């Protein structure tokens, strides 16, 4: 929190601002104080009055709801320029007024507490709130002096809270609490924009993946149809696997998935970390029989624990290749 200005310093800075700015600042100060006074007098704590300083109250002035705090003056630390109704010199002056009879009394915080039948600490709470309002006035005055308006934070924002718009309309600097709120709004806007970009990018990725999936399904369907067309009746597992290799598939894992999905084969999946079709080992064993007869080439460099890779041997392809397989399905 900034160091509060003395009343003299505050008046000097007020003399430097424009009439429009001065009207906004002083009217805002007045409204804020009235709000604090009104909320305090309507609180549950204030429920009865008690005559102080031997000031007599008329019968119609006995109801607490008809009294309001209408003014407050803080003469500053070490200054006792005010006067209580009892004649005591004061730093803090509270003026209370009856709304109907217009009787007006000036009290210090001790006699105000006695008048409202409260603990003096409740009055200290009101003074704290009032000082907060004065600190904000001081903050705005010093920012006007330093030409520190904080409007650069508004760039890129199409709209902002009403109280901030009100400051801009009257050419008044933004308060630190408003700047803090603006920074939060800007961060939220940035995050929202980043989220939107992420959503768009994710939508494009999903669209591409869906397209690739459909293309894969189309290729799979096309290959499967070719394999079906090239198989003899009651084809063995090896014949089916070999025909897939002839139609361009080289991965034993991929061939196993195709056979599992499109032929009357074992449907279980391995529970190992590989998560391959249960028939994978049978497919590899069957294809290795074709390797032994030189119809296929086993790619040792590309093969491993994860997968086995096979290619057609272009130099040893009979017109009608049939290898007897012991493992059928």
């Amino acid at each position: 929190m900034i160091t509060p200005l003395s009343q003299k310093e505050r008046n000097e800075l007020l003399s430097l601002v424009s009439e429009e700015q001065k009207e906004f600042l002083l009217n805002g100060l007045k409204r804020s104080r009235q709000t604090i006074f009104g909320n305090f007098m309507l609180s549950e704590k204030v429920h009865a009055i008690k005559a102080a300083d031997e000031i007599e109250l008329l019968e119609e002035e006995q109801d607490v709801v008809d009294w309001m705090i209408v003014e407050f003056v803080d003469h500053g630390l070490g200054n006792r320029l005010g006067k209580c109704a009892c004649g005591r010199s004061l730093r803090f002056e509270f003026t209370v007024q009856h709304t109907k009879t217009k009787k007006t009394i000036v009290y210090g915080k001790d006699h105000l507490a006695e008048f409202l039948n409260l603990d003096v600490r409740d009055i200290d709470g009101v003074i704290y709130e009032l000082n907060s309002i004065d600190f904000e006035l001081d903050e705005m005055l010093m920012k006007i002096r330093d030409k520190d308006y904080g409007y650069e934070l508004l760039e890129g924002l199409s709209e902002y809270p009403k109280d901030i718009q009100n400051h801009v309309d009257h050419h008044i600097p933004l308060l630190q609490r408003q700047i803090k709120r603006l920074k939060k709004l800007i961060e939220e806007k940035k995050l929202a924009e980043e989220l939107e970009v992420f959503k768009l990018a994710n939508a494009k990725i999903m669209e591409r993946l869906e397209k690739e999936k459909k293309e894969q399904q189309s290729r799979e369907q096309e290959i499967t149809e070719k394999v079906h067309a090239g198989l003899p009746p009651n084809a063995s597992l090896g014949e089916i696997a070999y025909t897939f290799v002839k139609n361009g598939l080289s991965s034993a894992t991929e061939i196993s998935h195709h056979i599992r999905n499109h032929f009357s084969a074992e449907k279980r999946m391995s529970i190992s970390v590989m998560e391959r079709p249960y028939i994978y080992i049978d497919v590899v064993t069957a294809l290795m029989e074709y390797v032994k007869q030189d119809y296929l080439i086993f790619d040792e460099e590309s093969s491993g624990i994860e997968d086995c890779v096979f290619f057609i041997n272009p130099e040893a392809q009979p017109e009608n290749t049939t290898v007897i397989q012991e493992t059928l399905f």
Side-chain angles (χ1 to χ4, degrees), residues 158-294:
S158 57
E159 58 181 1
Y160 19 91
K162 185 177 179 180
D163 63 310
I164 292 176
Q165 182 65 60
N166 202 22
H167 276 233
V168 175
D169 292 342
H170 292 85
H171 199 53
I172 297 296
L174 302 181
L175 292 162
Q176 282 304 115
R177 61 177 174 81
Q178 292 174 317
I179 289 175
K180 183 178 180 180
R181 183 152 44 103
L182 264 182
K183 287 181 177 178
K184 183 178 179 181
L185 287 174
I186 291 169
E187 184 62 26
E188 289 174 349
K189 180 175 181 289
K190 181 181 177 182
L191 290 175
E193 290 173 347
E194 290 176 351
L195 179 60
E196 190 62 30
V197 170
F198 171 78
K199 286 181 178 179
L200 289 173
N202 189 58
K204 290 181 179 179
I205 292 172
M206 295 304 295
E207 183 180 352
R208 188 184 77 246
L209 291 176
E210 185 63 26
K211 181 180 179 181
E212 291 175 353
K213 180 181 178 182
K214 289 180 179 179
E215 290 175 351
Q216 176 64 25
Q217 289 174 341
S218 178
R219 287 194 299 270
E220 183 176 328
Q221 182 65 29
E222 182 181 351
I223 292 173
T224 302
E225 289 175 358
K226 287 181 179 180
V227 169
H228 272 294
L231 289 173
N234 302 316
S236 67
L237 176 65
E239 289 173 323
I240 297 172
Y242 175 73
T243 306
F244 269 110
V245 179
K246 287 178 66 176
N247 281 276
L249 294 187
S250 57
S251 163
T253 299
E254 189 175 355
I255 292 170
S256 300
H257 280 292
H258 279 287
I259 294 174
R260 175 182 178 275
N261 294 334
H262 301 288
F263 291 84
S264 299
E266 173 65 71
K267 302 299 182 184
R268 286 183 296 169
M269 295 290 292
S270 171
I271 60 174
S272 69
V273 293
M274 301 298 181
E275 296 185 348
R276 293 179 298 215
Y278 200 75
I279 60 173
Y280 171 77
I281 297 299
D282 292 336
V283 168
V284 171
T285 301
L287 291 176
M288 290 302 293
E289 290 296 323
Y290 285 90
V291 173
K292 291 177 183 178
Q293 299 178 51
D294 291 329

Side-chain angles (χ1 to χ4, degrees), residues 8 28 66 70 83 91 100 137 154 186 212 215 257 280 301 324:
K8 179 181 178 182
D66 293 325
V70 295
K83 286 290 183 182
R91 171 185 171 179
K100 296 178 181 178
L137 172 63
L154 303 177
I186 291 169
E212 291 175 353
E215 290 175 351
H257 280 292
Y280 171 77
E301 186 175 337
I324 297 175

